[in-house]
Amino acid sequence: MTPSLTWYHATAPAAAPRQALAGAVRAKVCVIGGGLTGVSTALNLAERGIDAVLLEAEAIGHGASGRNGGQIVQGYSAPMERIEAAVGRSDAQAIWDMGREAIAAIPDRVKRHNIDCDLRWGYFIAALNRSQLADLRDTVEQWAEYGYRGPTMVEGSAVRSVLATDLYVGGMVEPGSGQLHPLAYLLGLAGAAEAVGARLFERSAAIEIHYGKTVRVTTSGGTVEADTLVLAGNAYLGRLVPEMNRKVMPVASFIGVTEPLGEERARRLFPQDVAVADCNVALDYYRLTADRRLLFGAGASYSATTPIGLKDWLAKRIRRVFPELTDVAIEHAWGGLIGITHNRVPDFGRLAPNVLYAQGFSGQGVALTGLAGTLMAETIAGDDSRFRLIEQVRHLPFPGGLLRTPTLVAAMGVLKLKDRLGW
Ligand SMILES: Cc1cc2nc3c(=O)[nH]c(=O)nc-3n(C[C@H](O)[C@H](O)[C@H](O)COP(=O)(O)OP(=O)(O)OC[C@H]3O[C@@H](n4cnc5c(N)ncnc54)[C@H](O)[C@@H]3O)c2cc1C
């Protein structure tokens, strides 16, 4: 038996492999990428009666959507003031509201399509030093200005009411964010998309794109001709579309899943059963699974290399938070690529009037990919007013060529130092 790609793949409902594209196919829209962005787009299109064909290079959920921390996070990876500086207060409000809508859409979808994906609410953003705590207080105030008053702050010993650790000086308790089994969620959406007529192909990598009034996408087994193309390959798209590749940096992050902790210990470590992320750039993010394992993510590394002895590396990160977990084995470990933009705002755009894309969710794609799917479907159906709100945010390219990786490793080194010193 081949080992599962991730713990998610070992525990998601079994899905029969889908067919690879064979021969010539015609569709209104061709979507490249079978993660949450591509599948949400196909689902939203099919619900509007728009015929969509989706091509996935491997299997649905092979990319970040089937490997992530499963954390549903409020807002955007960029602070709202950065978005406000880019688009003005009133459009920033609309963008904030769409972020709220993206979160609300998850329980809606779960219910509507009867998806069993262990959806739970409650989140804790942890501060490792006073400077991070002050930033979190500012965030609470800023979100309140945008009309969201969910979070509260805890400090000092009160952290222990949320989490059994002394590592943090305080943090933000955020009831409107949460967690789920991302692959089960994605496969549920994929089934829902097929149920309303979308055609999903696996093991069908797009190897060539011919742009024009009719777009033609070629795989090793066939071609798709379509009026519109949606590019949803994010950090896994590679160099297929250089204009997009320049604006998104693939950053590696790693996750380990322990053996079950047992109900009593799990409840003691996570008295409020929240998902957690700290404020570092190379952050820790973790939560309990339904069967009470610790699912612990750590990153990020711009070098995109896997740490030697990944399980030991993760075990060390876990013990920094919970020193008592010396006796717990890590049963699954894997890595994945997060697509980061320069300003941490997602990059939504058009390469031509009939070629749309969304990428660079900067670590917050579990919710925002759903928004991308909705907005791209709206645009293709004739109303791009909401897509344009995010599209107007400008994105700087990352350095290219030989400078690309060394520059980012250096940048990451500075940011890690900042984490350590609490600047
Ligand atoms: C380890 C890790 C932890 C994360 N944790 C969180 C988290 O807790 N919360 C959160 O909100 N976000 C998190 N993220 C980010 C989140 O997973 C992503 O933002 C989101 O899944 C992006 O979805 P996507 O569909 O755009 O891309 P992906 O899910 O990466 O899907 C892209 C797909 O396109 C396919 N593809 C690429 N090229 C081609 C081609 N030429 N032809 C056909 N198919 C192609 C790939 O095989 C892939 O399946 C995490 C990411 C990682 C890697």
Side-chain angles (χ1 to χ4, degrees), residues 133 153 173 276:
L133 195 64
M153 296 296 294
V173 180
V276 183

Side-chain angles (χ1 to χ4, degrees), residues 33 35-37 56-57 63-65 68-69 71 206 234 236 285 338 363-366:
L36 282 163
T37 301
E56 163 54 46
S65 301
N68 62 54
Q71 304 200 346
N234 205 0
Y236 286 80
Y285 52 98
I338 303 180
Q364 295 202 192
V366 168

